[in-house]
Amino acid sequence: MDYKRYVAQHLNVTGVSEEEIAEAIAIPPDTSMGDFALPCFRFAKVLRKSPVMIAEELKAAYPTDEVISEVSAVNGYLNFKVNKKGLADDVLTRISREGKDYGKSSIGNGKTICIDYSSVNIAKPFHIGHLSTTVLGGALYRIFNYLGYRTVGINHLGDYGTQFGKLISAYTRWGDKQLVEEGGIRALNELYVRFHREAEENPALDDEARAYFKKIEEGDKDCNELFEWFKELTLKDVQKIYDLLDIHFDSYAGESFYSDKMQPIVDELRDRGLLVESQGAQIVDLEAYGMSPCIILKSDGSSLYATRDMAAATYRKKTYDFDKCLYVVAYQQNLHFKQFFKVLELMGKEWAKDLVHVAYGMVSLEEGAMSTRKGNVVFLEDVIKKCIEKAYRIIDEKNPSLENKEEVAKKVGVGAVIFGALYNNKIKDITFSYDKVLNFDGETSVYVQYTCARAASVLARAESVPAEYTVPVPCAQEFELLKALGDFPDVVKSAAEKYEPSYVARYCVDVAQKFNKFYFDCKILQAEKEVRDYRLALTAATLTTLENALGLLGIGVPEKM
Ligand code: ARG
């Protein structure tokens, strides 16, 4: 039963579609007035009436029945109370029928979403700053998939630029094949850092690096082989993290992939008279839109980050025919995206409106800031490993006899890192704290995982969940939990609509809290048979829903903790 839709079908607001009404219906924070509420403020303008009056009139006309038992109008809100037994029946039946698919939808069928995320830079550390893009993008990928969209995950590799000339210069001068092979990104980064240190004394190195870069561009065999090797080493290192975080890509077409796809863009800009020369460079003037110019070609004719992004967007439209193309990139790059989106729009690409910059805030560690150049970076791999170790120590202390402690610690530690990055509204800057993300009683994944283990243990002790049971009128604790469970499909949809996986993370904590309240206030296994059976079904439904929700974030659930 989709209650919002059901209510919307029974309401008649002139000039407002059923869809719009259903969308406007929300679960009020204080549910003593109603289980759902329709704020009537938004209709005041169309109807030329006060919200209070609209609510009153809608109330008078509403036909209550066995689904909606009570309607009231309060301060411009129309409140609905649902038939509790009906809701309980409905939610439990649906979850047990749909199981792993509970929350899925087909609203995205036939539509494609490209998601550009994680987008690592070759030979550069994969650091804590890449955490958000990776887990946010990964969650959006799964969420859109869940809603039936075709999703294309793209790792827009940072594999173009003079820094690769520097790296070749450094490797040729000081590199050791075996050390680099074994050291991966760390070894490459050390070479890069050394290059900068030495170039400060010896500026000739910069010329050498430029020459090497030119050789890469001209297709020099040796230089390109080295470069491909750096790429391979980087991706091999990064893959370890992707495996831990359960992250997948459908394409690794990076910046260099567009080297030969930029000329048509430049030509088109010129043909349309959008390109102007400024201090030798070719730019698109965006003053009329309150932005600094978008630089397309430098004075030496070389391309820029924006030029490559324009070629990439065009290629993606042609290749995938996306309905939306998301860029999960930090807000530091706001201007960059605004600029090249605008330029594509000025070029008459009607699909430019479907490009979305999903901006997010900074993640810093309690220890403080970092810089790639100077070499003092916090590798994401180290953060995850440390979290797993800490999780192990906590678990070992709490439950020394637990089997598979390592497996459990991995799920808890990885979950903590992911959840820590996803719990807040994505645009907020966050400070990552190990103690905070591993707090068993906090708003954390481990709290949710622990709740799942608790539910699983109840079910294990019951041995089986009865297929048949009678649903009574639920008590307050049961009803709050049931309503929350029933809300899951809507939560997934809103998370997708707002590009906000935090909705799912918060939802997990909310459901876990409601389950724990139910668990501590109501007897389950000790209850009389009829009540026991139904409460076991409710426990199973909670576990299914939480597993599905955590799964969307890339977090696994240990059976025992
Ligand atoms: N590699 C870039 C960086 O680390 C992010 C790329 C984002 N994607 C894009 N299409 N610009 O800043």
Side-chain angles (χ1 to χ4, degrees), residues 101-385:
D101 291 335
Y102 178 57
K104 278 193 182 169
S105 147
S106 53
I107 52 167
N109 283 4
K111 293 197 189 123
T112 298
I113 304 257
C114 289
I115 310 179
D116 176 325
Y117 69 110
S118 198
S119 299
V120 292
N121 299 321
I122 298 305
K124 292 261 190 71
F126 195 58
H127 56 73
I128 178 98
H130 296 108
L131 173 60
S132 296
T133 173
T134 306
V135 298
L136 268 172
L140 290 173
Y141 185 87
R142 288 184 215 95
I143 288 171
F144 277 104
N145 235 311
Y146 215 58
L147 296 176
Y149 290 85
R150 172 171 78 123
T151 41
V152 184
I154 304 171
N155 201 324
H156 187 72
L157 300 178
D159 59 359
Y160 186 94
T162 42
Q163 71 266 33
F164 300 106
K166 294 179 185 172
L167 206 56
I168 291 181
S169 156
Y171 178 75
T172 313
R173 283 170 174 268
W174 315 299
D176 177 293
K177 185 157 198 279
Q178 202 188 337
L179 281 183
V180 171
E181 188 87 56
E182 283 162 11
I185 294 180
R186 285 172 211 250
L188 291 172
N189 187 51
E190 268 164 35
L191 283 171
Y192 188 68
V193 171
R194 174 155 180 199
F195 181 91
H196 278 274
R197 206 171 48 230
E198 304 231 359
E200 264 170 38
E201 325 260 272
N202 178 10
L205 282 179
D206 283 316
D207 296 326
E208 181 177 294
R210 258 190 293 277
Y212 274 125
F213 176 59
K214 194 142 181 274
K215 278 181 143 186
I216 302 181
E217 289 219 285
E218 288 163 356
D220 176 87
K221 191 165 157 283
D222 292 341
C223 283
N224 274 289
E225 264 172 22
L226 265 183
F227 179 45
E228 286 305 318
W229 182 51
F230 296 156
K231 245 191 194 176
E232 219 175 90
L233 289 174
T234 306
L235 290 178
K236 202 172 104 202
D237 259 6
V238 171
Q239 189 58 43
K240 287 188 257 168
I241 296 170
Y242 290 155
D243 287 344
L244 277 173
L245 300 176
D246 194 19
I247 294 291
H248 306 277
F249 295 96
D250 303 289
S251 161
Y252 281 88
E255 294 188 40
S256 70
F257 177 76
Y258 301 100
S259 297
D260 61 352
K261 298 174 182 61
M262 286 180 284
Q263 196 54 48
I265 306 273
V266 176
D267 292 343
E268 196 179 333
L269 281 167
R270 192 169 287 126
D271 290 348
R272 286 177 179 266
L274 288 164
L275 220 50
V276 284
E277 198 186 304
S278 166
Q279 296 164 5
Q282 300 291 320
I283 64 155
V284 176
D285 183 15
L286 296 174
E287 206 187 328
Y289 309 97
M291 287 183 259
S292 47
C294 185
I295 308 173
I296 306 293
L297 295 175
K298 284 193 228 163
S299 52
D300 65 2
S302 57
S303 67
L304 284 107
Y305 183 46
T307 328
R308 295 188 287 280
D309 252 329
M310 288 171 60
T314 309
Y315 175 84
R316 289 173 194 173
K317 183 65 192 174
K318 201 173 77 203
T319 311
Y320 306 112
D321 194 22
F322 57 72
D323 290 87
K324 286 254 183 307
C325 177
L326 313 184
Y327 297 84
V328 187
V329 183
Y331 66 62
Q332 278 88 340
Q333 295 191 29
N334 274 355
L335 178 63
H336 163 72
F337 287 100
K338 268 191 121 158
Q339 284 177 321
F340 90 78
F341 290 178
K342 190 50 140 189
V343 175
L344 286 167
E345 183 196 317
L346 293 174
M347 288 170 81
K349 312 282 179 208
E350 58 77 32
W351 47 264
K353 64 174 184 351
D354 304 319
L355 306 173
V356 184
H357 176 204
V358 179
Y360 61 83
M362 287 248 296
V363 181
S364 48
L365 271 184
E366 281 175 316
E367 282 96 304
M370 57 199 172
S371 138
T372 319
R373 283 265 182 107
K374 301 241 161 65
N376 52 346
V377 295
V378 185
F379 285 81
L380 186 51
E381 190 183 2
D382 295 343
V383 174
I384 299 175
K385 279 199 180 138

Side-chain angles (χ1 to χ4, degrees), residues 504-541:
V504 177
R506 290 188 174 258
Y507 174 77
C508 289
V509 170
D510 182 49
V511 169
Q513 284 170 345
K514 286 178 172 149
F515 175 78
N516 285 323
K517 178 123 188 60
F518 156 71
Y519 174 87
F520 286 114
D521 291 356
C522 309
K523 284 188 209 137
I524 305 176
L525 291 168
Q526 264 70 45
E528 54 181 288
K529 167 111 177 67
E530 210 159 274
V531 178
R532 176 182 190 267
D533 288 354
Y534 148 76
R535 287 188 174 160
L536 283 172
L538 178 53
T539 304

Side-chain angles (χ1 to χ4, degrees), residues 38-78:
L38 174 68
C40 298
F41 308 92
R42 54 168 72 208
F43 310 132
K45 220 168 168 183
V46 226
L47 299 179
R48 298 161 174 273
K49 276 185 207 160
S50 76
V52 174
M53 204 150 137
I54 298 170
E56 290 292 347
E57 286 180 11
L58 289 175
K59 173 195 172 305
Y62 193 90
T64 48
D65 54 16
E66 70 286 353
V67 177
I68 300 298
S69 55
E70 209 184 305
V71 182
S72 64
V74 181
N75 298 334
Y77 283 89
L78 189 62

